[in-house]
């Protein structure tokens, strides 16, 4: 029996259902197709390049060979099935709305030509249609979703693929990784190289280091960016270098009750996928209809200052610079910069989401859309619009000594903790001593937060009417 395994966001040997079942059944052709229509941002492309490189080596080590192509999967997969006389095709499902629709059409077309199509859950704890209310409706609020998910049994992770027989193919027919041109022409990736090792082995190592050293303080310290107490596993989940099911079961077994706050976050990810599956329009439209009429602003200069980390609000600037440098930003800071963009600057959340998509190594449509709609106040179970984060207060609370700010905004390194959260409000002598000239070394705030807050609340009153 000969099967094709369509490799996508599942670049791993462990708990990889499509690869595992195909390898058990007979000869396999593992195929990766780079589809330019499937949008992927620049930072994640860099991660993908290295993740594919390491996945190729992992496959080699168990007897596999990755066949790499570029183009439309709808055209390529039937051609391959015919060329290699494949009787079946296997893939792990993806749930981005346009991808899910496309894949269903591909599956139907292949089935009509006599190819057996097998799809699997390899991305989530449970398929997004499994956790529903008693009346069959999807959840829009997290806590009941979380409780309902806990009543289901999350399938155990499958063993790693240890050996496979690959259908032989002419090497010249497969592209080399470099031909996919995933790496940027100008090298701006030093910060990402320093922070990430995009491989399955590194993902597993990071996970075990997290369990050993950070899980016990996760609950109390995960909100403090300088502590780096969260797992930083998101880029590995995003491209499937790590199985969320295996992480879930390992934490459940080893940490028991202490693991609950972390498991809860994993379930937020399933919740995001449930939302994007059942409400696919929320990728672009507000979940809460009231916001359809919200009047967003189009201030290019302010948007630019936000992207570059030059807003004059240190915690916002630190977050945006961490993002630019490493392709990652701490969750609490994502909320702060998101609130600042959508409420202080009144810039559409979709613009922020697009910037995140392009710059995050963990860019993930479901999580990103849910995160942005949450901060903008327009989403399911969202923080209400009128609860507007004060960036200075957030900074004092979650980065009390300004450690995180000092790391990413070096021009403020000499500022005393007392004034680092609001340098433009610091007395002249403190600024002088720290060598900071506001407006020259570090920008003046681009908005007055108090006034911006009132302006946002006025806009919100308009939509309520
Ligand atoms: C505006 C905004 C945009 C976001 N965009 C993305 C995105 O594109 N990709 C992405 O993976 N996450 C996104 N998040 C969610 C969250 O910030 C990241 O998942 C988290 O910071 C990743 O760090 P970590 O792996 O250390 O998380 P941990 O705290 O260690 O959590 C473990 C895992 O749980 C999941 N998780 C944690 N928090 C959330 C959450 N709030 N929503 C959904 N899943 C969660 C992630 O897969 C994460 O890796 C966004 C949040 C906001 C507020």
């Amino acid at each position: 029996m000969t099967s094709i395994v369509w490799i996508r966001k599942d670049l791993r040997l462990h708990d990889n259902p499509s690869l595992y079942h195909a390898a058990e059944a007979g000869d396999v052709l593992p195929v990766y197709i780079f589809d330019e229509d499937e949008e992927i941002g620049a930072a994640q492309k860099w991660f993908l390049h290295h993740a594919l490189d390491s996945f190729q080596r992992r496959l080699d080590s168990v007897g596999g060979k990755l066949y790499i192509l570029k183009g439309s999967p709808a055209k390529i997969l039937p051609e391959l099935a015919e060329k290699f006389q494949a009787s079946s095709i296997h893939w792990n499902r993806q749930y981005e709305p346009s991808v899910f629709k496309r894949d269903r059409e591909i599956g139907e077309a292949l089935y009509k030509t006599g190819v057996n199509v097998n799809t699997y859950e390899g991305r989530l704890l449970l398929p997004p249609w499994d956790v529903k209310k008693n009346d069959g409706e999807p959840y829009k609020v997290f806590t009941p979703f979380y409780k309902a998910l806990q009543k289901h049994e999350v399938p155990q992770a499958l063993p790693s693929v240890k050996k496979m027989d690959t259908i032989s193919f002419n090497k010249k027919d497969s592209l080399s990784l470099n031909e996919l041109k995933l790496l940027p022409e100008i090298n701006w990736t030093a910060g990402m190289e320093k922070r990430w090792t995009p491989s399955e082995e590194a993902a597993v190592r990071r996970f075990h280091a997290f369990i050993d050293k950070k899980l016990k303080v996760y609950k109390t310290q995960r909100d403090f960016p300088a502590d780096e107490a969260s797992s930083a596993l998101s880029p590995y989940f995003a491209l499937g270098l790590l199985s969320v099911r295996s992480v879930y079961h390992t934490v459940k077994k080893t940490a028991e009750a202490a693991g609950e706050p972390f498991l809860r976050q994993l379930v937020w990810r399933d919740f995001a996928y449930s939302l994007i599956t059942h409400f696919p329009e929320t990728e672009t439209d507000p979940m809460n209809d009231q916001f359809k009429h919200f009047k967003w602003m189009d201030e290019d200069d302010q948007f630019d200052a936000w992207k570059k980390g030059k807003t004059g609000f240190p915690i916002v600037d630190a977050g945006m610079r961490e993002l630019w440098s490493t392709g990652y930003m701490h969750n609490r800071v994502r909320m702060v910069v998101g609130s600042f963009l959508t409420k202080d600057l009144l810039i559409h959340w979709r613009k922020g989401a697009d910037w995140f998509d392009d710059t995050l190594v963990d860019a993930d449509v479901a999580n990103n859309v849910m995160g942005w709609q949450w901060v903008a106040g327009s989403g399911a179970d969202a923080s209400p619009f009128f609860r507007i984060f004060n960036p200075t207060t957030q900074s004092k609370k979650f980065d009390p000594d300004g450690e995180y700010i000092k790391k990413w905004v070096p021009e403020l390194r000499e500022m005393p903790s007392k004034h680092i959260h609001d340098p433009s409000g610091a007395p002249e002598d403190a600024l002088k001593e720290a060598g900071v000239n506001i407006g020259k070394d570090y920008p003046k705030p681009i908005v007055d937060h108090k006034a911006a807050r009132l302006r946002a609340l006025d806009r919100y009153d308009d939509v309520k009417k």
Side-chain angles (χ1 to χ4, degrees), residues 34-61:
F34 182 67
D35 178 5
E36 276 157 325
D37 289 342
E38 214 180 299
E39 280 174 25
I40 166 163
Q44 201 168 48
K45 269 191 192 158
W46 168 85
F47 200 94
L48 174 63
H49 175 97
H50 295 289
L52 275 170
D53 186 30
S54 98
F55 182 63
Q56 269 183 318
R57 273 184 270 114
R58 296 278 289 165
L59 269 184
D60 279 355
S61 72

PDB file of all heavy atoms in Angstrom, residues 34-61:
ATOM      1  N   PHE A  34       4.862  24.290  -0.485  1.00  0.00           N
ATOM      2  CA  PHE A  34       4.791  25.692  -0.063  1.00  0.00           C
ATOM      3  C   PHE A  34       3.806  26.413  -0.974  1.00  0.00           C
ATOM      4  O   PHE A  34       4.020  26.523  -2.181  1.00  0.00           O
ATOM      5  CB  PHE A  34       6.175  26.344  -0.096  1.00  0.00           C
ATOM      6  CG  PHE A  34       6.133  27.765   0.388  1.00  0.00           C
ATOM      7  CD1 PHE A  34       5.834  28.036   1.718  1.00  0.00           C
ATOM      8  CD2 PHE A  34       6.357  28.832  -0.479  1.00  0.00           C
ATOM      9  CE1 PHE A  34       5.767  29.344   2.182  1.00  0.00           C
ATOM     10  CE2 PHE A  34       6.293  30.141  -0.026  1.00  0.00           C
ATOM     11  CZ  PHE A  34       6.001  30.392   1.312  1.00  0.00           C
ATOM     12  N   ASP A  35       2.712  26.860  -0.365  1.00  0.00           N
ATOM     13  CA  ASP A  35       1.648  27.507  -1.136  1.00  0.00           C
ATOM     14  C   ASP A  35       1.707  29.004  -0.873  1.00  0.00           C
ATOM     15  O   ASP A  35       1.392  29.456   0.227  1.00  0.00           O
ATOM     16  CB  ASP A  35       0.305  26.914  -0.665  1.00  0.00           C
ATOM     17  CG  ASP A  35      -0.877  27.556  -1.364  1.00  0.00           C
ATOM     18  OD1 ASP A  35      -0.654  28.388  -2.265  1.00  0.00           O
ATOM     19  OD2 ASP A  35      -2.022  27.211  -1.004  1.00  0.00           O
ATOM     20  N   GLU A  36       2.082  29.758  -1.893  1.00  0.00           N
ATOM     21  CA  GLU A  36       2.234  31.201  -1.672  1.00  0.00           C
ATOM     22  C   GLU A  36       0.912  31.902  -1.336  1.00  0.00           C
ATOM     23  O   GLU A  36       0.910  33.006  -0.810  1.00  0.00           O
ATOM     24  CB  GLU A  36       2.904  31.849  -2.889  1.00  0.00           C
ATOM     25  CG  GLU A  36       4.404  31.713  -2.777  1.00  0.00           C
ATOM     26  CD  GLU A  36       5.128  31.800  -4.107  1.00  0.00           C
ATOM     27  OE1 GLU A  36       4.564  31.328  -5.112  1.00  0.00           O
ATOM     28  OE2 GLU A  36       6.239  32.335  -4.132  1.00  0.00           O
ATOM     29  N   ASP A  37      -0.207  31.244  -1.648  1.00  0.00           N
ATOM     30  CA  ASP A  37      -1.503  31.862  -1.324  1.00  0.00           C
ATOM     31  C   ASP A  37      -1.839  31.736   0.166  1.00  0.00           C
ATOM     32  O   ASP A  37      -2.726  32.402   0.675  1.00  0.00           O
ATOM     33  CB  ASP A  37      -2.631  31.204  -2.122  1.00  0.00           C
ATOM     34  CG  ASP A  37      -2.544  31.595  -3.587  1.00  0.00           C
ATOM     35  OD1 ASP A  37      -1.861  32.599  -3.883  1.00  0.00           O
ATOM     36  OD2 ASP A  37      -3.122  30.878  -4.422  1.00  0.00           O
ATOM     37  N   GLU A  38      -1.146  30.821   0.829  1.00  0.00           N
ATOM     38  CA  GLU A  38      -1.397  30.652   2.262  1.00  0.00           C
ATOM     39  C   GLU A  38      -0.476  31.639   2.976  1.00  0.00           C
ATOM     40  O   GLU A  38       0.723  31.420   3.050  1.00  0.00           O
ATOM     41  CB  GLU A  38      -1.024  29.218   2.655  1.00  0.00           C
ATOM     42  CG  GLU A  38      -1.895  28.636   3.729  1.00  0.00           C
ATOM     43  CD  GLU A  38      -1.465  27.214   4.057  1.00  0.00           C
ATOM     44  OE1 GLU A  38      -1.512  26.363   3.155  1.00  0.00           O
ATOM     45  OE2 GLU A  38      -1.065  26.978   5.189  1.00  0.00           O
ATOM     46  N   GLU A  39      -1.079  32.702   3.466  1.00  0.00           N
ATOM     47  CA  GLU A  39      -0.224  33.798   3.947  1.00  0.00           C
ATOM     48  C   GLU A  39       0.610  33.416   5.159  1.00  0.00           C
ATOM     49  O   GLU A  39       0.123  32.794   6.088  1.00  0.00           O
ATOM     50  CB  GLU A  39      -1.099  35.002   4.280  1.00  0.00           C
ATOM     51  CG  GLU A  39      -1.445  35.750   3.008  1.00  0.00           C
ATOM     52  CD  GLU A  39      -2.428  36.872   3.245  1.00  0.00           C
ATOM     53  OE1 GLU A  39      -2.475  37.380   4.379  1.00  0.00           O
ATOM     54  OE2 GLU A  39      -3.139  37.215   2.295  1.00  0.00           O
ATOM     55  N   ILE A  40       1.856  33.822   5.116  1.00  0.00           N
ATOM     56  CA  ILE A  40       2.732  33.589   6.270  1.00  0.00           C
ATOM     57  C   ILE A  40       3.681  34.771   6.367  1.00  0.00           C
ATOM     58  O   ILE A  40       4.251  35.207   5.365  1.00  0.00           O
ATOM     59  CB  ILE A  40       3.457  32.220   6.165  1.00  0.00           C
ATOM     60  CG1 ILE A  40       4.614  32.125   7.155  1.00  0.00           C
ATOM     61  CG2 ILE A  40       3.942  31.909   4.777  1.00  0.00           C
ATOM     62  CD1 ILE A  40       5.100  30.734   7.400  1.00  0.00           C
ATOM     63  N   GLY A  41       3.825  35.296   7.572  1.00  0.00           N
ATOM     64  CA  GLY A  41       4.611  36.514   7.764  1.00  0.00           C
ATOM     65  C   GLY A  41       6.112  36.263   7.668  1.00  0.00           C
ATOM     66  O   GLY A  41       6.575  35.112   7.698  1.00  0.00           O
ATOM     67  N   ALA A  42       6.858  37.354   7.596  1.00  0.00           N
ATOM     68  CA  ALA A  42       8.306  37.255   7.377  1.00  0.00           C
ATOM     69  C   ALA A  42       9.024  36.542   8.525  1.00  0.00           C
ATOM     70  O   ALA A  42       9.914  35.721   8.300  1.00  0.00           O
ATOM     71  CB  ALA A  42       8.875  38.651   7.178  1.00  0.00           C
ATOM     72  N   ALA A  43       8.639  36.854   9.764  1.00  0.00           N
ATOM     73  CA  ALA A  43       9.346  36.242  10.900  1.00  0.00           C
ATOM     74  C   ALA A  43       9.066  34.734  10.947  1.00  0.00           C
ATOM     75  O   ALA A  43       9.973  33.932  11.180  1.00  0.00           O
ATOM     76  CB  ALA A  43       8.901  36.899  12.210  1.00  0.00           C
ATOM     77  N   GLN A  44       7.819  34.375  10.726  1.00  0.00           N
ATOM     78  CA  GLN A  44       7.496  32.942  10.785  1.00  0.00           C
ATOM     79  C   GLN A  44       8.102  32.181   9.606  1.00  0.00           C
ATOM     80  O   GLN A  44       8.411  30.996   9.730  1.00  0.00           O
ATOM     81  CB  GLN A  44       5.986  32.728  10.837  1.00  0.00           C
ATOM     82  CG  GLN A  44       5.629  31.370  11.405  1.00  0.00           C
ATOM     83  CD  GLN A  44       4.167  31.235  11.728  1.00  0.00           C
ATOM     84  OE1 GLN A  44       3.305  31.575  10.922  1.00  0.00           O
ATOM     85  NE2 GLN A  44       3.860  30.766  12.916  1.00  0.00           N
ATOM     86  N   LYS A  45       8.294  32.876   8.481  1.00  0.00           N
ATOM     87  CA  LYS A  45       8.973  32.221   7.346  1.00  0.00           C
ATOM     88  C   LYS A  45      10.387  31.816   7.756  1.00  0.00           C
ATOM     89  O   LYS A  45      10.867  30.753   7.403  1.00  0.00           O
ATOM     90  CB  LYS A  45       9.063  33.186   6.155  1.00  0.00           C
ATOM     91  CG  LYS A  45       7.897  33.093   5.218  1.00  0.00           C
ATOM     92  CD  LYS A  45       8.221  33.872   3.964  1.00  0.00           C
ATOM     93  CE  LYS A  45       6.988  34.045   3.123  1.00  0.00           C
ATOM     94  NZ  LYS A  45       7.081  35.163   2.194  1.00  0.00           N
ATOM     95  N   TRP A  46      11.048  32.710   8.474  1.00  0.00           N
ATOM     96  CA  TRP A  46      12.401  32.395   8.946  1.00  0.00           C
ATOM     97  C   TRP A  46      12.354  31.137   9.830  1.00  0.00           C
ATOM     98  O   TRP A  46      13.151  30.220   9.677  1.00  0.00           O
ATOM     99  CB  TRP A  46      12.966  33.586   9.736  1.00  0.00           C
ATOM    100  CG  TRP A  46      14.221  33.235  10.475  1.00  0.00           C
ATOM    101  CD1 TRP A  46      15.492  33.248   9.987  1.00  0.00           C
ATOM    102  CD2 TRP A  46      14.314  32.753  11.837  1.00  0.00           C
ATOM    103  NE1 TRP A  46      16.375  32.806  10.946  1.00  0.00           N
ATOM    104  CE2 TRP A  46      15.688  32.496  12.087  1.00  0.00           C
ATOM    105  CE3 TRP A  46      13.389  32.509  12.845  1.00  0.00           C
ATOM    106  CZ2 TRP A  46      16.142  32.022  13.318  1.00  0.00           C
ATOM    107  CZ3 TRP A  46      13.842  32.026  14.069  1.00  0.00           C
ATOM    108  CH2 TRP A  46      15.202  31.796  14.290  1.00  0.00           C
ATOM    109  N   PHE A  47      11.384  31.119  10.750  1.00  0.00           N
ATOM    110  CA  PHE A  47      11.261  29.972  11.665  1.00  0.00           C
ATOM    111  C   PHE A  47      10.961  28.705  10.854  1.00  0.00           C
ATOM    112  O   PHE A  47      11.550  27.639  11.084  1.00  0.00           O
ATOM    113  CB  PHE A  47      10.122  30.247  12.670  1.00  0.00           C
ATOM    114  CG  PHE A  47      10.191  29.420  13.922  1.00  0.00           C
ATOM    115  CD1 PHE A  47      10.806  29.902  15.060  1.00  0.00           C
ATOM    116  CD2 PHE A  47       9.632  28.154  13.960  1.00  0.00           C
ATOM    117  CE1 PHE A  47      10.862  29.148  16.230  1.00  0.00           C
ATOM    118  CE2 PHE A  47       9.683  27.387  15.114  1.00  0.00           C
ATOM    119  CZ  PHE A  47      10.298  27.889  16.252  1.00  0.00           C
ATOM    120  N   LEU A  48      10.071  28.848   9.872  1.00  0.00           N
ATOM    121  CA  LEU A  48       9.670  27.703   9.049  1.00  0.00           C
ATOM    122  C   LEU A  48      10.868  27.116   8.290  1.00  0.00           C
ATOM    123  O   LEU A  48      11.019  25.896   8.218  1.00  0.00           O
ATOM    124  CB  LEU A  48       8.569  28.150   8.060  1.00  0.00           C
ATOM    125  CG  LEU A  48       8.126  27.128   7.021  1.00  0.00           C
ATOM    126  CD1 LEU A  48       7.500  25.901   7.687  1.00  0.00           C
ATOM    127  CD2 LEU A  48       7.097  27.740   6.052  1.00  0.00           C
ATOM    128  N   HIS A  49      11.685  27.998   7.747  1.00  0.00           N
ATOM    129  CA  HIS A  49      12.861  27.512   7.000  1.00  0.00           C
ATOM    130  C   HIS A  49      13.687  26.562   7.885  1.00  0.00           C
ATOM    131  O   HIS A  49      14.025  25.453   7.493  1.00  0.00           O
ATOM    132  CB  HIS A  49      13.725  28.691   6.537  1.00  0.00           C
ATOM    133  CG  HIS A  49      15.002  28.259   5.881  1.00  0.00           C
ATOM    134  ND1 HIS A  49      15.137  28.161   4.513  1.00  0.00           N
ATOM    135  CD2 HIS A  49      16.187  27.852   6.403  1.00  0.00           C
ATOM    136  CE1 HIS A  49      16.353  27.716   4.220  1.00  0.00           C
ATOM    137  NE2 HIS A  49      17.016  27.536   5.355  1.00  0.00           N
ATOM    138  N   HIS A  50      13.998  27.032   9.074  1.00  0.00           N
ATOM    139  CA  HIS A  50      14.857  26.227   9.949  1.00  0.00           C
ATOM    140  C   HIS A  50      14.120  24.996  10.495  1.00  0.00           C
ATOM    141  O   HIS A  50      14.725  23.939  10.685  1.00  0.00           O
ATOM    142  CB  HIS A  50      15.425  27.091  11.074  1.00  0.00           C
ATOM    143  CG  HIS A  50      16.344  28.153  10.535  1.00  0.00           C
ATOM    144  ND1 HIS A  50      17.581  27.863  10.017  1.00  0.00           N
ATOM    145  CD2 HIS A  50      16.183  29.485  10.372  1.00  0.00           C
ATOM    146  CE1 HIS A  50      18.152  28.976   9.568  1.00  0.00           C
ATOM    147  NE2 HIS A  50      17.323  29.976   9.788  1.00  0.00           N
ATOM    148  N   ALA A  51      12.828  25.158  10.712  1.00  0.00           N
ATOM    149  CA  ALA A  51      12.059  24.018  11.219  1.00  0.00           C
ATOM    150  C   ALA A  51      11.994  22.923  10.142  1.00  0.00           C
ATOM    151  O   ALA A  51      12.106  21.730  10.456  1.00  0.00           O
ATOM    152  CB  ALA A  51      10.649  24.463  11.602  1.00  0.00           C
ATOM    153  N   LEU A  52      11.828  23.331   8.887  1.00  0.00           N
ATOM    154  CA  LEU A  52      11.804  22.341   7.797  1.00  0.00           C
ATOM    155  C   LEU A  52      13.161  21.663   7.654  1.00  0.00           C
ATOM    156  O   LEU A  52      13.250  20.458   7.438  1.00  0.00           O
ATOM    157  CB  LEU A  52      11.455  23.035   6.474  1.00  0.00           C
ATOM    158  CG  LEU A  52       9.964  23.221   6.170  1.00  0.00           C
ATOM    159  CD1 LEU A  52       9.770  24.130   4.968  1.00  0.00           C
ATOM    160  CD2 LEU A  52       9.289  21.860   5.917  1.00  0.00           C
ATOM    161  N   ASP A  53      14.188  22.479   7.795  1.00  0.00           N
ATOM    162  CA  ASP A  53      15.549  21.944   7.683  1.00  0.00           C
ATOM    163  C   ASP A  53      15.757  20.844   8.731  1.00  0.00           C
ATOM    164  O   ASP A  53      16.230  19.747   8.426  1.00  0.00           O
ATOM    165  CB  ASP A  53      16.529  23.112   7.905  1.00  0.00           C
ATOM    166  CG  ASP A  53      17.951  22.688   7.653  1.00  0.00           C
ATOM    167  OD1 ASP A  53      18.149  21.789   6.824  1.00  0.00           O
ATOM    168  OD2 ASP A  53      18.856  23.246   8.307  1.00  0.00           O
ATOM    169  N   SER A  54      15.355  21.130   9.947  1.00  0.00           N
ATOM    170  CA  SER A  54      15.583  20.136  10.986  1.00  0.00           C
ATOM    171  C   SER A  54      14.618  18.955  10.825  1.00  0.00           C
ATOM    172  O   SER A  54      14.972  17.815  11.105  1.00  0.00           O
ATOM    173  CB  SER A  54      15.509  20.777  12.367  1.00  0.00           C
ATOM    174  OG  SER A  54      14.268  20.579  12.926  1.00  0.00           O
ATOM    175  N   PHE A  55      13.413  19.225  10.347  1.00  0.00           N
ATOM    176  CA  PHE A  55      12.454  18.127  10.145  1.00  0.00           C
ATOM    177  C   PHE A  55      12.957  17.154   9.068  1.00  0.00           C
ATOM    178  O   PHE A  55      12.835  15.931   9.211  1.00  0.00           O
ATOM    179  CB  PHE A  55      11.081  18.686   9.763  1.00  0.00           C
ATOM    180  CG  PHE A  55      10.029  17.630   9.581  1.00  0.00           C
ATOM    181  CD1 PHE A  55       9.641  16.819  10.642  1.00  0.00           C
ATOM    182  CD2 PHE A  55       9.421  17.415   8.345  1.00  0.00           C
ATOM    183  CE1 PHE A  55       8.672  15.822  10.479  1.00  0.00           C
ATOM    184  CE2 PHE A  55       8.461  16.436   8.168  1.00  0.00           C
ATOM    185  CZ  PHE A  55       8.081  15.635   9.235  1.00  0.00           C
ATOM    186  N   GLN A  56      13.546  17.722   8.017  1.00  0.00           N
ATOM    187  CA  GLN A  56      14.122  16.862   6.974  1.00  0.00           C
ATOM    188  C   GLN A  56      15.120  15.891   7.583  1.00  0.00           C
ATOM    189  O   GLN A  56      15.131  14.706   7.276  1.00  0.00           O
ATOM    190  CB  GLN A  56      14.889  17.731   5.961  1.00  0.00           C
ATOM    191  CG  GLN A  56      14.058  18.195   4.808  1.00  0.00           C
ATOM    192  CD  GLN A  56      14.897  18.979   3.806  1.00  0.00           C
ATOM    193  OE1 GLN A  56      15.727  19.801   4.197  1.00  0.00           O
ATOM    194  NE2 GLN A  56      14.672  18.760   2.551  1.00  0.00           N
ATOM    195  N   ARG A  57      15.964  16.421   8.455  1.00  0.00           N
ATOM    196  CA  ARG A  57      16.980  15.568   9.083  1.00  0.00           C
ATOM    197  C   ARG A  57      16.337  14.520   9.997  1.00  0.00           C
ATOM    198  O   ARG A  57      16.768  13.380  10.048  1.00  0.00           O
ATOM    199  CB  ARG A  57      18.001  16.412   9.834  1.00  0.00           C
ATOM    200  CG  ARG A  57      19.121  16.851   8.876  1.00  0.00           C
ATOM    201  CD  ARG A  57      20.223  17.606   9.542  1.00  0.00           C
ATOM    202  NE  ARG A  57      19.930  19.028   9.537  1.00  0.00           N
ATOM    203  CZ  ARG A  57      19.697  19.791  10.582  1.00  0.00           C
ATOM    204  NH1 ARG A  57      19.760  19.270  11.781  1.00  0.00           N
ATOM    205  NH2 ARG A  57      19.457  21.063  10.448  1.00  0.00           N
ATOM    206  N   ARG A  58      15.301  14.947  10.714  1.00  0.00           N
ATOM    207  CA  ARG A  58      14.588  13.989  11.585  1.00  0.00           C
ATOM    208  C   ARG A  58      13.994  12.863  10.739  1.00  0.00           C
ATOM    209  O   ARG A  58      14.081  11.701  11.103  1.00  0.00           O
ATOM    210  CB  ARG A  58      13.433  14.695  12.323  1.00  0.00           C
ATOM    211  CG  ARG A  58      13.854  15.768  13.284  1.00  0.00           C
ATOM    212  CD  ARG A  58      14.265  15.217  14.610  1.00  0.00           C
ATOM    213  NE  ARG A  58      13.141  14.711  15.376  1.00  0.00           N
ATOM    214  CZ  ARG A  58      13.271  13.929  16.444  1.00  0.00           C
ATOM    215  NH1 ARG A  58      14.468  13.561  16.835  1.00  0.00           N
ATOM    216  NH2 ARG A  58      12.210  13.517  17.116  1.00  0.00           N
ATOM    217  N   LEU A  59      13.384  13.233   9.624  1.00  0.00           N
ATOM    218  CA  LEU A  59      12.790  12.206   8.754  1.00  0.00           C
ATOM    219  C   LEU A  59      13.865  11.254   8.233  1.00  0.00           C
ATOM    220  O   LEU A  59      13.693  10.039   8.245  1.00  0.00           O
ATOM    221  CB  LEU A  59      12.116  12.866   7.552  1.00  0.00           C
ATOM    222  CG  LEU A  59      10.642  13.238   7.653  1.00  0.00           C
ATOM    223  CD1 LEU A  59      10.168  13.797   6.320  1.00  0.00           C
ATOM    224  CD2 LEU A  59       9.767  12.045   8.039  1.00  0.00           C
ATOM    225  N   ASP A  60      14.964  11.853   7.778  1.00  0.00           N
ATOM    226  CA  ASP A  60      16.083  11.036   7.284  1.00  0.00           C
ATOM    227  C   ASP A  60      16.471   9.976   8.311  1.00  0.00           C
ATOM    228  O   ASP A  60      16.748   8.844   7.971  1.00  0.00           O
ATOM    229  CB  ASP A  60      17.331  11.909   7.037  1.00  0.00           C
ATOM    230  CG  ASP A  60      17.244  12.634   5.705  1.00  0.00           C
ATOM    231  OD1 ASP A  60      16.275  12.376   4.963  1.00  0.00           O
ATOM    232  OD2 ASP A  60      18.135  13.449   5.410  1.00  0.00           O
ATOM    233  N   SER A  61      16.499  10.399   9.573  1.00  0.00           N
ATOM    234  CA  SER A  61      16.994   9.488  10.613  1.00  0.00           C
ATOM    235  C   SER A  61      16.081   8.269  10.819  1.00  0.00           C
ATOM    236  O   SER A  61      16.480   7.298  11.428  1.00  0.00           O
ATOM    237  CB  SER A  61      17.175  10.242  11.941  1.00  0.00           C
ATOM    238  OG  SER A  61      15.902  10.529  12.477  1.00  0.00           O
TER     239      SER A  61
END
